[in-house]
Amino acid sequence: MRRRLILQILIIGAALVGLLAPFGSTGTVAQKASPSGKTLAGIAIEEYQQRRERLMELVPEGIVLLSGKTEEEDSEVEQKFRQRSYFMYLTGVEIPGAILALIPKGYGPEKVREVLFLPPRNPARERWTGPKVGPEEAVSEFGVQRALPTTAFENELSKMLERAQVIYTVVPSGPSAPFSRERAFIERFRQGVEVRDVRPLLAELRRIKSPAELALLREAVRITAEAHREVARALRPGMFEYELEALVMATFLRNGARRAGFPPIIGSGPNSTILHYQANRRLIAAGDLVVVDIGAEYEYYTADITRTYPASGRFTDRQRQIYALVLGAQKAAEAAFRPGQTTMRELQEVARRFLRESPLRSRDGQTLDRFFIHGLGHYVGLDVHDVGDYSKPLVPGVVITIEPGIYLPDEQIGVRIEDMYLVTETGLVKLSAHIPSAPEEVERWMARRTTR
Ligand code: GLY
Ligand code: MN
Ligand code: MN
């Protein structure tokens, strides 16, 4: 009898492993979609080619010039390299100092339409930072039409510009714009041509996620859920916020995330009311609420999920009321959603109204919508606050957060609940639905805490 049971368990286990395998290590997710079998950061090189083609269709009369990140720009100490998101989106190339040129009309005798400029290989430097793909290998490694050394850029640029009147690039804005690398980049080719910002065009492409992007986002969510589970199991008064941060980061890295998509926010007690608190230095006390706002970055795609935990394992009555109200606001926004029609602003208004209509009040008698002091949500993708026009309806393929919050510094009560949603033809799919958020579920989850 027992032997048969063990056998059955083994068979079920094997079947489950088979079922779950496609969602396990998603290094393989994108490979299936790539006829060449080549992927860059989990995305097939064919998909990068399609993205470049789509952008070229939008700028038939111009050319696109985009500079990637250089290794030196951050500090003297080498930082872990993260390519700029726009450049990554179009190329998947993580070589410092790369430049991409797209020429929809083609240039030169062969009518080349895309050129990747890469720094020439430097064997001495590679002894320090490892081998890099150089211009010679780039066509086969990255699937671009032509690759040249960056030393040839100026020369080639004048040839490309012979027939183009408009250059699309990242035009810097803001107070530091005049001193930015982009500005220096633009100054090199400004004479006689009009320079336009390529970002709105790219932002609209990036707004709609492909199946391959969704697979990476789902993996980022899975890892982030894992980290929340670790937090729920470990949290107790007497811990430092940074101990939870350590647990979160260890869980991310152990599961193959490259990094956090943004600095983990672990805010206890008074810090729960500070929206982007990142110091994570406080000793957590009994009775505190702890806002844990975290997101793993898997390949280049980040999650962004918040739960608010009672440090002692149970919410006080007041905390529970506020918590339930925040959760209600999230549900009201979900219920009001119509794919292809609703905008983020409309959802925001729904949540705000829900908070305003509650009989709950702050200590000084105000309605609680006054303490919801940030936006209801944002796009998520290559960047945590991903690009895209917020006045547009939320169409199938976009991924958003819905994250109402109430922050009452007087009472040291901050509650934020943040989930990620994919918009489909029929409505919202809550990607982070498996992470408990009802107050009693959170308490039950925490009740399984291990004792130390
Ligand atoms: N973690 C930043 C945000 O929720 O927008
Ligand atoms: Mn967010
Ligand atoms: Mn967040």
Side-chain angles (χ1 to χ4, degrees):
M1 199 63 195
R2 251 183 79 201
R3 288 248 306 270
R4 262 186 55 198
L5 188 67
I6 291 170
L7 197 67
Q8 273 177 358
I9 290 171
L10 281 176
I11 291 168
I12 293 169
L16 271 178
V17 168
L19 271 176
L20 295 176
F23 307 101
S25 72
T26 48
T28 55
V29 168
Q31 261 140 27
K32 276 180 280 161
S34 168
S36 68
K38 277 219 164 101
T39 60
L40 301 168
I43 302 275
I45 59 171
E46 288 82 359
E47 183 163 334
Y48 292 107
Q49 289 165 346
Q50 285 161 13
R51 294 171 180 178
R52 295 194 291 270
E53 287 296 332
R54 290 181 65 195
L55 179 59
M56 282 196 270
E57 282 166 21
L58 299 175
V59 296
E61 299 302 319
I63 67 175
V64 177
L65 289 178
L66 219 53
S67 66
K69 192 172 159 146
T70 61
E71 214 158 26
E72 295 78 23
E73 66 197 330
D74 277 340
S75 75
E76 292 291 307
V77 179
E78 280 149 19
Q79 302 288 320
K80 218 172 179 180
F81 184 82
R82 187 185 194 274
Q83 184 54 278
R84 293 174 168 170
S85 298
Y86 284 119
F87 199 91
M88 194 64 191
Y89 181 76
L90 287 177
T91 65
V93 168
E94 297 184 89
I95 308 290
I99 299 172
L100 175 71
L102 299 177
I103 315 97
K105 282 184 178 167
Y107 91 109
E110 306 98 326
K111 293 271 174 253
V112 171
R113 301 175 73 230
E114 45 179 42
V115 187
L116 180 68
F117 295 90
L118 291 180
R121 291 191 66 168
N122 180 343
R125 187 154 179 77
E126 286 183 13
R127 294 288 301 276
W128 293 80
T129 55
K132 298 265 189 303
V133 174
E136 299 77 16
E137 308 94 39
V139 170
S140 65
E141 287 298 313
F142 300 139
V144 289
Q145 261 180 23
R146 172 178 286 175
L148 293 170
T150 37
T151 45
F153 179 68
E154 304 286 340
N155 218 350
E156 295 298 307
L157 181 62
S158 49
K159 288 190 232 161
M160 292 176 205
L161 284 175
E162 270 164 20
R163 289 192 305 143
Q165 268 88 53
V166 187
I167 290 179
Y168 289 84
T169 189
V170 171
V171 178
S173 52
S176 60
F179 318 108
S180 64
R181 268 190 67 231
E182 278 89 356
R183 178 52 58 100
F185 184 65
I186 290 173
E187 293 307 328
R188 292 162 75 180
F189 49 72
R190 198 185 252 302
Q191 290 92 342
V193 283
E194 185 188 341
V195 175
R196 286 193 203 150
D197 202 342
V198 74
R199 281 180 297 185
L201 302 175
L202 275 172
E204 184 54 22
L205 296 180
R206 280 175 56 183
R207 200 169 80 101
I208 318 286
K209 270 63 180 178
S210 71
E213 291 181 290
L214 289 174
L216 299 179
L217 276 166
R218 282 182 188 277
E219 181 63 2
V221 169
R222 186 193 69 76
I223 296 170
T224 306
E226 199 62 38
H228 269 294
R229 191 220 306 268
E230 294 288 336
V231 166
R233 277 167 52 167
L235 170 59
R236 56 182 42 75
M239 283 181 98
F240 283 97
E241 293 165 343
Y242 55 74
E243 293 181 70
L244 294 178
E245 181 180 1
L247 208 54
V248 166
M249 287 311 300
T251 309
F252 287 178
L253 298 177
R254 193 157 31 78
N255 281 279
R258 294 203 191 192
R259 53 181 85 76
F262 56 92
I265 297 166
I266 320 276
S268 65
N271 299 334
S272 68
T273 67
I274 302 172
L275 303 187
H276 281 182
Y277 173 74
Q278 294 167 359
N280 304 342
R281 305 311 292 169
R282 183 176 173 274
L283 188 66
I284 298 169
D288 282 352
L289 284 179
V290 187
V291 169
V292 177
D293 182 350
I294 55 176
E297 185 184 301
Y298 186 72
E299 296 301 359
Y300 271 64
Y301 289 82
T302 189
D304 183 11
I305 302 167
T306 307
R307 289 291 179 268
T308 301
Y309 300 96
S312 306
R314 282 188 68 80
F315 294 99
T316 65
D317 289 347
R318 175 69 168 165
Q319 288 170 348
R320 190 183 308 271
Q321 285 176 335
I322 304 287
Y323 188 100
L325 183 64
V326 173
L327 192 60
Q330 191 190 46
K331 292 203 168 125
E334 287 172 17
F337 185 81
R338 301 284 174 272
Q341 296 175 29
T342 316
T343 63
M344 201 76 219
R345 293 204 180 116
E346 285 160 8
L347 286 186
Q348 163 112 8
E349 197 34 53
V350 169
R352 202 162 273 292
R353 201 176 326 125
F354 184 88
L355 298 179
R356 193 162 52 237
E357 286 170 359
S358 160
L360 293 179
R361 294 287 180 272
S362 64
R363 276 186 182 159
D364 58 354
Q366 300 189 70
T367 56
L368 291 186
D369 58 307
R370 306 288 293 273
F371 301 86
F372 172 35
I373 50 177
H374 54 77
L376 181 67
H378 50 84
Y379 300 119
V380 212
L382 284 171
D383 293 312
V384 60
H385 295 164
D386 209 26
V387 291
D389 187 342
Y390 283 96
S391 64
K392 288 194 166 167
L394 299 166
V395 291
V398 309
V399 177
I400 56 168
T401 66
I402 301 183
E403 49 175 309
I406 292 177
Y407 310 92
L408 300 165
D410 284 2
E411 302 181 53
Q412 303 204 352
I413 290 180
V415 174
R416 177 160 66 253
I417 302 168
E418 173 173 32
D419 284 279
M420 288 171 64
Y421 302 80
L422 165 67
V423 177
T424 69
E425 298 290 342
T426 50
L428 289 174
V429 175
K430 189 171 173 182
L431 300 176
S432 44
H434 52 299
I435 311 175
S437 63
E440 59 282 4
E441 282 176 35
V442 171
E443 287 178 343
R444 219 174 302 132
W445 211 25
M446 292 186 70
R448 278 182 252 144
R449 284 177 297 175
T450 45
T451 42
R452 335 182 256 194

